[in-house]
């Protein structure tokens, strides 16, 4: 009888342990699931708020060939129509848009980073009358200003070499319509192993920011899109884009 009692006690202990383990597993699952749902909801709210407040417009496009390399120069106006400042990030991506989705094209192999060589071929500058002399200047990271040169892309390429500084973001931390950029690229049979550059800007209400974007067209270059993102924790979340022909 004593052995039988011990066996029953052991069985009860095992069942209790299994029940507790199962409970912890279920608790962990539902907590994780709820956390993911809550995170996705917060991201959608932030994205929707910014998309409804920021106007992204291409105002001028010029093309040139310098030393047998083709360039596209684009001026862009960003306007915050909301009532609070926003921090946004910009990059250039080769996208494919349909009425219901946005995906990345095979040209991600070359734009904005050549995945074979690591060379960055997109450059961003601020356009502003910095010294208040009535002439527009182009501002790079070293704050070396040039007089207004926005009429010809060849002139721009010839003298600008100090693009604004950027941050590098891994493709796995870039989210476009609920999919990571690494996943979208993998669907095209492409592995994005080099990080993507992002340029950050602060947009105050009713105070437009003018930007010059210079794209060095690589072999296989397709249409690029100046893409607006919002940063959420360590992720860059896609908001909107404007086509660069």
């Amino acid at each position: 009888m004593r052995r039988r009692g011990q066996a029953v006690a052991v069985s009860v202990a095992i069942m209790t342990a299994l029940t507790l383990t199962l409970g912890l597993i279920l608790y962990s699952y539902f907590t994780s699931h709820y956390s993911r749902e809550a995170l996705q909801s917060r991201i959608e709210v932030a994205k929707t708020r910014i998309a409804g407040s920021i106007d992204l417009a291409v105002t001028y496009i010029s093309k040139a060939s310098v030393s047998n390399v083709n360039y596209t120069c684009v001026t862009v106006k960003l306007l915050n129509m909301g009532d609070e400042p926003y921090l946004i990030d910009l990059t250039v991506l080769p996208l494919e848009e349909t009425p219901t989705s946005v995906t990345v094209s095979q040209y991600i192999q070359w734009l904005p980073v050549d995945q074979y060589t690591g060379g960055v071929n997109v450059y961003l500058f601020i356009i502003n009358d910095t010294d208040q002399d009535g002439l527009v200047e182009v501002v790079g990271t070293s704050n070396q200003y040039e007089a207004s040169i926005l009429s010809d892309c060849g002139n721009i390429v010839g003298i600008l070499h100090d693009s604004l500084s950027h941050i590098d973001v891994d493709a796995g931390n870039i989210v476009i319509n609920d999919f990571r950029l690494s996943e979208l690229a993998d669907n095209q049979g492409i592995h994005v192993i080099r990080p993507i550059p992002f340029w950050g800007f602060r947009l105050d209400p009713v105070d437009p920011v003018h930007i010059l974007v210079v794209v060095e067209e690589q072999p296989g270059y397709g249409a690029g899109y100046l893409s607006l993102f919002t940063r959420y924790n360590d992720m860059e979340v896609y908001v909107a884009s404007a086509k660069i022909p």
Side-chain angles (χ1 to χ4, degrees):
M1 293 294 295
R2 184 177 180 182
R3 290 183 177 178
R4 181 178 298 177
Q6 289 176 338
V8 171
V10 170
S11 298
V12 170
I14 292 174
M15 291 300 297
T16 301
L18 289 174
T19 301
L20 289 174
T21 301
L22 179 60
L24 288 172
I25 291 173
L26 290 174
Y27 175 79
S28 176
Y29 169 78
F30 285 113
T31 299
S32 176
H33 178 73
Y34 175 78
S35 296
R36 288 196 300 271
E37 291 292 324
L39 174 61
Q40 186 61 39
S41 177
R42 289 195 296 271
I43 290 174
E44 287 300 321
V45 169
K47 184 172 70 172
T48 301
R49 185 172 64 248
I50 292 176
S53 300
I54 304 301
D55 180 46
L56 171 64
V58 173
T59 57
Y60 181 78
I61 297 175
S62 176
K63 292 179 176 285
S65 179
V66 179
S67 300
N68 296 320
V69 178
N70 294 325
Y71 292 88
T72 298
C73 298
V74 180
T75 59
V76 178
K77 183 176 78 171
L78 290 168
L79 178 63
N80 181 359
M81 299 176 293
D83 55 4
E84 60 179 304
Y86 288 110
L87 297 176
I88 58 97
D89 291 325
L90 294 177
T91 192
V92 174
L93 291 174
L95 303 177
E96 293 180 349
E97 292 188 309
T98 71
T100 58
S101 67
V102 179
T103 60
V104 66
S105 81
Q106 62 178 326
Y107 299 116
I108 192 68
Q109 296 171 95
W110 299 284
L111 184 76
V113 175
D114 189 322
Q115 292 296 311
Y116 301 101
T117 67
V120 176
N121 45 58
V122 174
Y123 314 93
L124 266 70
F125 307 87
I126 289 288
I127 303 172
N128 194 16
D129 183 7
T130 306
D131 54 11
Q132 303 296 311
D133 65 350
L135 296 176
V136 175
E137 284 83 45
V138 179
V139 184
T141 189
S142 62
N143 288 336
Q144 296 298 311
Y145 312 132
E146 302 288 348
S148 180
I149 52 168
L150 302 181
S151 61
D152 182 83
C153 189
N155 291 339
I156 295 171
V157 172
I159 65 175
L160 292 180
H161 305 289
D162 65 336
S163 175
L164 294 170
S165 58
H166 62 263
I167 62 170
D168 291 325
V169 181
D170 291 334
N173 290 338
I174 301 170
V175 180
I176 301 176
N177 289 10
D178 300 331
F179 292 95
R180 296 180 185 271
L181 177 60
S182 53
E183 296 172 331
L184 296 175
D186 285 343
N187 290 338
Q188 298 289 330
I190 303 164
H191 299 295
V192 181
I193 59 175
R194 300 182 188 273
I196 303 298
F198 280 81
W199 288 264
F201 298 90
R202 174 190 169 98
L203 296 182
D204 292 314
V206 199
D207 187 13
V209 173
H210 297 271
I211 297 170
L212 169 65
V213 184
V214 179
V215 179
E216 179 183 338
E217 300 179 8
Q218 301 296 301
Y221 174 79
Y225 286 77
L226 181 66
S227 300
L228 185 154
F229 285 74
T230 180
R231 196 177 307 173
Y232 199 94
N233 294 335
D234 61 344
M235 298 180 295
E236 291 285 352
V237 181
Y238 175 82
V239 175
S241 61
K243 187 176 182 180
I244 301 175

